[in-house]
Amino acid sequence: MTDLSYFAAGGLSSVGTPTLWAVTIVGVLALLVLDFLVTRRPHEVSIREALGWSAFYIALPLAFGGWVWYRFGSQQGVEYLTGYLVEKSLSVDNLFVFMLLLAAFAVPAVLAQRVLLYGIAGALVLRAVFIAIGAAALQTLDFAFLIFAVILIATAVKLLRDALSGHEQEIDINKMRSVRLLRRFMPVVDEYHGTRMTIRQHGRRALTPFALVVVAVLATDIVFAVDSVPAVYGITEDPYLVFATNAFALLGLRALYFVLHAALSRLVHLSYGLAIILAFIGVKLGLHWAHGIWPGVPEIPTLASLGVIIGVLVVVTLTSLRATRDREPGDAEVVVDKH
């Protein structure tokens, strides 16, 4: 049995043999542990440190993509690279929301990377769960691709509507359901106590703001997973490649945040670009579903998808930089309500 003919549980064709799955999961966990060790002593991240880690977390998935291409062929290689690009693009949007949350909770600079790391770890777990659910849906529901297409197109419409409204993004931490739920069960102190999530105050256990922001970040991970997993399933039906693209895109977020922190506020047209990409993948999924019923319906090749995604990202980046060329670095059109 060759790797290309291996069938995962449920019958999905996949390059991921049990051995490859095991090695990949162990590798991802090892990288996650390494990140926790690096951040065990809270400190402000220098641009040099952030650039170094970002370079590592970009070179690693690209090298892995080269290995996939060499080992399994150009089709799997293009699917992996396209899926990785989609996930990396969506992760930049994740970072913008994380930036808003860190500002809303007034997270000290020395604790920012540990908060991000908890968010990344939670996102990895959630993505794994959603990937498994997605794989099961593809095997048991004939119209699963149509469901994924509807989710992506609906998300694209929401992104476009929010972008066209021109409203500044706002986060009111007192209205967040996760924060309100925690405060209902435990008292919360006002001061940060390093990376501690609870302290003993007046003889009873109380939560710290660090615990609240970690839970808030984890809650946003659920929303992002709902969009992200169907998006990459629109590129490849291989659960292993879906997991690999998600894992590699997420692992580099901690360092990428500090590299792009000032630039994030200038990507004012990113929502338009992501809306176009998600809608495009939604149409691609819809055509794929229809092709299975009516063979005469055309499909969009993965290589063409890669070209469209790269083109959209280049255009929105250039237009964003042009639109904000007079803006001071670090300026952001956001509103944070702490009261």
Side-chain angles (χ1 to χ4, degrees):
M1 181 189 302
T2 64
D3 289 323
L4 288 176
S5 64
Y6 177 76
F7 283 83
L12 276 181
S13 179
S14 173
V15 301
T17 63
T19 300
L20 186 56
W21 269 104
V23 170
T24 303
I25 291 172
V26 169
V28 169
L29 291 176
L31 290 171
L32 199 57
V33 170
L34 176 63
D35 271 354
F36 270 103
L37 290 175
V38 169
T39 62
R40 70 187 186 280
R41 294 180 180 177
H43 65 280
E44 288 194 48
V45 179
S46 66
I47 189 63
R48 181 177 180 181
E49 178 185 352
L51 285 172
W53 280 107
S54 291
F56 171 75
Y57 276 118
I58 290 175
L60 183 62
L62 290 180
F64 182 80
W67 177 80
V68 169
W69 193 303
Y70 170 78
R71 180 67 181 82
F72 303 111
S74 59
Q75 178 65 27
Q76 281 69 29
V78 171
E79 287 181 0
Y80 167 82
L81 292 173
T82 306
Y84 173 72
L85 184 60
V86 169
E87 289 304 311
K88 204 64 178 175
S89 304
L90 292 172
S91 71
V92 174
D93 198 38
N94 294 26
L95 287 181
F96 189 73
V97 175
F98 289 164
M99 181 176 71
L100 294 177
L101 286 171
L102 293 178
F105 284 92
V107 177
V110 295
L111 301 179
Q113 61 177 340
R114 180 50 70 97
V115 172
L116 293 170
L117 197 50
Y118 277 115
I120 292 168
L124 281 169
V125 173
L126 288 169
R127 299 292 171 86
V129 172
F130 276 78
I131 288 169
I133 293 173
L138 290 177
Q139 287 303 299
T140 57
L141 299 175
D142 294 336
F143 52 89
F145 280 116
L146 188 59
I147 295 175
F148 288 174
V150 171
I151 291 174
L152 293 180
I153 292 174
T155 303
V157 171
K158 182 180 183 302
L159 280 174
L160 187 60
R161 185 187 299 119
D162 291 344
L164 291 174
S165 69
H167 293 158
E168 298 176 338
Q169 294 201 42
E170 179 178 348
I171 288 183
D172 183 349
I173 60 177
N174 290 313
K175 293 181 179 179
M176 297 183 68
R177 293 179 181 177
S178 57
V179 172
R180 291 163 59 187
L181 183 63
L182 287 175
R183 284 176 169 168
R184 183 177 301 175
F185 291 100
M186 292 185 69
V188 179
V189 298
D190 294 328
E191 303 83 14
Y192 282 88
H193 293 264
T195 58
R196 296 177 63 183
M197 294 194 182
T198 65
I199 63 168
R200 185 166 292 278
Q201 185 182 63
H202 306 306
R204 62 179 302 189
R205 185 65 60 180
L207 294 172
T208 67
F210 185 83
L212 295 186
V213 67
V214 167
V215 171
V217 168
L218 292 176
T220 62
D221 285 337
I222 299 175
V223 178
F224 286 122
V226 172
D227 303 333
S228 176
V229 173
V232 75
Y233 266 123
I235 303 300
T236 176
E237 298 176 37
D238 188 331
Y240 173 77
L241 293 181
V242 173
F243 175 78
T245 56
N246 273 270
F248 279 125
L250 288 170
L251 283 171
L253 283 188
R254 176 182 62 85
L256 188 63
Y257 174 85
F258 296 99
V259 173
L260 296 181
H261 185 270
L264 284 173
S265 62
R266 296 193 59 187
L267 297 177
V268 293
H269 296 160
L270 178 62
S271 293
Y272 295 101
L274 292 179
I276 294 171
I277 290 172
L278 291 177
F280 172 78
I281 298 175
V283 171
K284 182 178 186 295
L285 279 170
L287 290 174
H288 180 72
W289 169 80
H291 180 79
I293 300 176
W294 304 287
V297 175
E299 292 192 274
I300 301 175
T302 303
L303 192 59
S305 301
L306 178 60
V308 169
I309 292 166
I310 292 176
V312 169
L313 291 176
V314 169
V315 169
V316 298
T317 299
L318 292 177
T319 58
S320 293
L321 295 178
R322 179 177 176 80
T324 59
R325 60 185 180 276
D326 297 326
R327 180 179 299 180
E328 291 295 326
D331 289 350
E333 295 181 355
V334 299
V335 175
V336 176
D337 188 349
K338 301 178 187 178
H339 305 289

